[in-house]
Amino acid sequence: YVSGLGEGKAMYLLFVKAETLTNSGIPVRSVLTSYYKSPHFLHRKHDLYNNYTSPDEVILCPDSQQSMYCQLLCGLVERQHVLRLGAVFASAFLRSISFLEQHWCDLVNDIRIGKLNSNVTNTECRLAMEGFLALPNPELADELEEICGHGPWKGILGRLWPNVKYIEAVLTGTMAQYIPMLEFYSGGRIPLVCTMYASSESYFGVNLRPLCKPTDVSYTILPNMAYFEFIPLEDGLRVTDDEEVVGNDKLVSLVDVKVGCYYELVVTTFSGLYRYRVGDVLQVTGFYNRVPQFKFICRRNVILSIDTDKTNEEDLHNSVTRAKKILEDRNHILLEYTSYPDTSTVPGHYVLFWEIKSTCEGVKPLDPQLLESCCISVEESLDYIYRRCRAHDKSVGPLEIRVVEAGAFDALMDLLVSQGSSINQYKTPRCIESGLALKLLNSKVTASFFSPRDPEWTV
């Protein structure tokens, strides 16, 4: 689909995640971190089609900020040779571009004087970068300064890397929320490509039309990667809460799925997973020969996600339940709540809309420290992955509580009922999609509070 890719380099922003150990000393790490640290990656044969701008030592740097700085520096030095941009997830790529927007002056200065910034302290990174900054390059520094300092950032990717042919990242599911920002930085002129569908459990499929719009992506299942079965979803996207192994009578084989229907993915893998419910909800869009093609719809029960974090309704409810006890101890009660993943900033963050009522006579302003304590309590109660993203990876921003005026959730119910919801069966949605409902709640906000510190997290 794209010619000449072997004639240049790829600026793929790849990062390792922090890992921990089990009580018996076995390392626990994300699948990509495991791959980057394995001989499959470190001792890979030279491949013209996978020639990266970043040295392995920079990719493996445990400090994501130092790694990001050095990877961007490599990409800028090699700007005329870069034919592809990307990251595994769209969120990571945007976080890096936002980092570039904040630190371009330092990067340009390093290129100008031929010396790496002293804030990069990782020894392996510094050694690996010596070859990139062997000599001062004031001419390149002037070019970059002109681009970054004297023009709008809309479409800047094409100006910084004039020969780039496409941007590659996961853009489906929750990552679709980042498409508008990618189009802003690319100026809408660089194709956004999503090539594969995979997880830590197995590799599932490929996009046979890589240059299609991200909203039109369908993945063709690779039947040799695992044994695939599917749970039909009744009533649209309703999924059974039963987490146990599903019986034969409820499963549909790979060749028996039907176009337009929704299914939950079940895999049996070579590594030993037996009828494992991956948690992905898929819709059949067609067939390639006899192999079905699927559109990724969502993760089962996940309502909030910014990066690799996946927060379901039960986890959110338990976290809010713990935090509202702080309110109750100070003569306030939480009447109602909902949530929203705000990706208008980089990194994105969780937003909770709270309607609070005082149990004492007289209306007093809410104590900011009280609501900040609630923010901390919610974050401390969320799972390990969320807390790692917040405290270590910095890929998720501080949680925000937006307090809304009295009656805001009644107005929300009126709006949703007017749009077709049944008033008899109405339940406050625990996550609000962008649209009229979000606009309504934001118009009712009286105060906003952010978590003042990172949640506790240990390796």
Side-chain angles (χ1 to χ4, degrees), residues 309-320:
D309 53 297
K310 308 291 180 186
T311 298
N312 60 37
E313 185 172 330
E314 181 181 4
D315 289 342
L316 177 63
H317 177 73
N318 290 338
S319 299
V320 171

PDB file of all heavy atoms in Angstrom, residues 309-320:
ATOM      1  N   ASP A 309      -4.905   1.968  31.313  1.00  0.00           N
ATOM      2  CA  ASP A 309      -5.827   1.789  32.430  1.00  0.00           C
ATOM      3  C   ASP A 309      -7.203   1.369  31.914  1.00  0.00           C
ATOM      4  O   ASP A 309      -7.643   1.820  30.864  1.00  0.00           O
ATOM      5  CB  ASP A 309      -5.963   3.090  33.210  1.00  0.00           C
ATOM      6  CG  ASP A 309      -6.333   4.254  32.281  1.00  0.00           C
ATOM      7  OD1 ASP A 309      -5.521   4.576  31.392  1.00  0.00           O
ATOM      8  OD2 ASP A 309      -7.440   4.798  32.417  1.00  0.00           O
ATOM      9  N   LYS A 310      -7.867   0.496  32.650  1.00  0.00           N
ATOM     10  CA  LYS A 310      -9.215   0.037  32.293  1.00  0.00           C
ATOM     11  C   LYS A 310     -10.040  -0.021  33.574  1.00  0.00           C
ATOM     12  O   LYS A 310      -9.886  -0.944  34.368  1.00  0.00           O
ATOM     13  CB  LYS A 310      -9.185  -1.350  31.638  1.00  0.00           C
ATOM     14  CG  LYS A 310      -8.227  -1.507  30.453  1.00  0.00           C
ATOM     15  CD  LYS A 310      -8.666  -0.722  29.246  1.00  0.00           C
ATOM     16  CE  LYS A 310      -7.689  -0.902  28.096  1.00  0.00           C
ATOM     17  NZ  LYS A 310      -8.009  -0.038  26.945  1.00  0.00           N
ATOM     18  N   THR A 311     -10.900   0.941  33.778  1.00  0.00           N
ATOM     19  CA  THR A 311     -11.699   1.007  34.998  1.00  0.00           C
ATOM     20  C   THR A 311     -13.138   0.637  34.687  1.00  0.00           C
ATOM     21  O   THR A 311     -13.778   1.277  33.844  1.00  0.00           O
ATOM     22  CB  THR A 311     -11.633   2.413  35.619  1.00  0.00           C
ATOM     23  OG1 THR A 311     -10.284   2.708  35.974  1.00  0.00           O
ATOM     24  CG2 THR A 311     -12.511   2.498  36.860  1.00  0.00           C
ATOM     25  N   ASN A 312     -13.634  -0.403  35.349  1.00  0.00           N
ATOM     26  CA  ASN A 312     -15.011  -0.812  35.110  1.00  0.00           C
ATOM     27  C   ASN A 312     -15.951  -0.148  36.116  1.00  0.00           C
ATOM     28  O   ASN A 312     -15.525   0.531  37.058  1.00  0.00           O
ATOM     29  CB  ASN A 312     -15.152  -2.339  35.141  1.00  0.00           C
ATOM     30  CG  ASN A 312     -14.753  -2.946  36.473  1.00  0.00           C
ATOM     31  OD1 ASN A 312     -15.000  -2.385  37.540  1.00  0.00           O
ATOM     32  ND2 ASN A 312     -14.117  -4.105  36.429  1.00  0.00           N
ATOM     33  N   GLU A 313     -17.237  -0.363  35.919  1.00  0.00           N
ATOM     34  CA  GLU A 313     -18.241   0.315  36.738  1.00  0.00           C
ATOM     35  C   GLU A 313     -18.145  -0.088  38.203  1.00  0.00           C
ATOM     36  O   GLU A 313     -18.300   0.737  39.099  1.00  0.00           O
ATOM     37  CB  GLU A 313     -19.633   0.012  36.187  1.00  0.00           C
ATOM     38  CG  GLU A 313     -20.743   0.774  36.889  1.00  0.00           C
ATOM     39  CD  GLU A 313     -22.090   0.622  36.215  1.00  0.00           C
ATOM     40  OE1 GLU A 313     -22.130   0.433  34.980  1.00  0.00           O
ATOM     41  OE2 GLU A 313     -23.108   0.683  36.926  1.00  0.00           O
ATOM     42  N   GLU A 314     -17.864  -1.362  38.459  1.00  0.00           N
ATOM     43  CA  GLU A 314     -17.788  -1.832  39.845  1.00  0.00           C
ATOM     44  C   GLU A 314     -16.612  -1.190  40.580  1.00  0.00           C
ATOM     45  O   GLU A 314     -16.744  -0.743  41.721  1.00  0.00           O
ATOM     46  CB  GLU A 314     -17.646  -3.359  39.872  1.00  0.00           C
ATOM     47  CG  GLU A 314     -17.581  -3.933  41.281  1.00  0.00           C
ATOM     48  CD  GLU A 314     -17.411  -5.440  41.295  1.00  0.00           C
ATOM     49  OE1 GLU A 314     -17.265  -6.035  40.204  1.00  0.00           O
ATOM     50  OE2 GLU A 314     -17.424  -6.032  42.391  1.00  0.00           O
ATOM     51  N   ASP A 315     -15.437  -1.117  39.918  1.00  0.00           N
ATOM     52  CA  ASP A 315     -14.276  -0.503  40.547  1.00  0.00           C
ATOM     53  C   ASP A 315     -14.512   0.975  40.832  1.00  0.00           C
ATOM     54  O   ASP A 315     -14.129   1.495  41.885  1.00  0.00           O
ATOM     55  CB  ASP A 315     -13.039  -0.657  39.658  1.00  0.00           C
ATOM     56  CG  ASP A 315     -12.536  -2.090  39.597  1.00  0.00           C
ATOM     57  OD1 ASP A 315     -12.904  -2.877  40.486  1.00  0.00           O
ATOM     58  OD2 ASP A 315     -11.787  -2.424  38.662  1.00  0.00           O
ATOM     59  N   LEU A 316     -15.146   1.660  39.869  1.00  0.00           N
ATOM     60  CA  LEU A 316     -15.448   3.071  40.076  1.00  0.00           C
ATOM     61  C   LEU A 316     -16.415   3.245  41.237  1.00  0.00           C
ATOM     62  O   LEU A 316     -16.231   4.118  42.099  1.00  0.00           O
ATOM     63  CB  LEU A 316     -16.033   3.677  38.799  1.00  0.00           C
ATOM     64  CG  LEU A 316     -16.457   5.146  38.900  1.00  0.00           C
ATOM     65  CD1 LEU A 316     -15.250   6.033  39.187  1.00  0.00           C
ATOM     66  CD2 LEU A 316     -17.159   5.593  37.617  1.00  0.00           C
ATOM     67  N   HIS A 317     -17.457   2.406  41.285  1.00  0.00           N
ATOM     68  CA  HIS A 317     -18.443   2.499  42.354  1.00  0.00           C
ATOM     69  C   HIS A 317     -17.813   2.272  43.723  1.00  0.00           C
ATOM     70  O   HIS A 317     -18.083   3.014  44.683  1.00  0.00           O
ATOM     71  CB  HIS A 317     -19.563   1.477  42.118  1.00  0.00           C
ATOM     72  CG  HIS A 317     -20.591   1.453  43.216  1.00  0.00           C
ATOM     73  ND1 HIS A 317     -21.520   2.455  43.386  1.00  0.00           N
ATOM     74  CD2 HIS A 317     -20.814   0.550  44.220  1.00  0.00           C
ATOM     75  CE1 HIS A 317     -22.273   2.182  44.440  1.00  0.00           C
ATOM     76  NE2 HIS A 317     -21.868   1.033  44.954  1.00  0.00           N
ATOM     77  N   ASN A 318     -16.943   1.274  43.818  1.00  0.00           N
ATOM     78  CA  ASN A 318     -16.285   0.991  45.095  1.00  0.00           C
ATOM     79  C   ASN A 318     -15.389   2.146  45.528  1.00  0.00           C
ATOM     80  O   ASN A 318     -15.314   2.484  46.715  1.00  0.00           O
ATOM     81  CB  ASN A 318     -15.462  -0.298  44.987  1.00  0.00           C
ATOM     82  CG  ASN A 318     -16.332  -1.539  44.862  1.00  0.00           C
ATOM     83  OD1 ASN A 318     -17.508  -1.530  45.241  1.00  0.00           O
ATOM     84  ND2 ASN A 318     -15.779  -2.608  44.322  1.00  0.00           N
ATOM     85  N   SER A 319     -14.717   2.769  44.570  1.00  0.00           N
ATOM     86  CA  SER A 319     -13.845   3.897  44.885  1.00  0.00           C
ATOM     87  C   SER A 319     -14.644   5.104  45.357  1.00  0.00           C
ATOM     88  O   SER A 319     -14.265   5.791  46.314  1.00  0.00           O
ATOM     89  CB  SER A 319     -13.003   4.275  43.661  1.00  0.00           C
ATOM     90  OG  SER A 319     -12.178   3.203  43.263  1.00  0.00           O
ATOM     91  N   VAL A 320     -15.751   5.372  44.679  1.00  0.00           N
ATOM     92  CA  VAL A 320     -16.598   6.500  45.073  1.00  0.00           C
ATOM     93  C   VAL A 320     -17.233   6.225  46.435  1.00  0.00           C
ATOM     94  O   VAL A 320     -17.349   7.135  47.273  1.00  0.00           O
ATOM     95  CB  VAL A 320     -17.667   6.762  44.002  1.00  0.00           C
ATOM     96  CG1 VAL A 320     -18.699   7.775  44.495  1.00  0.00           C
ATOM     97  CG2 VAL A 320     -17.018   7.267  42.712  1.00  0.00           C
TER      98      VAL A 320
END
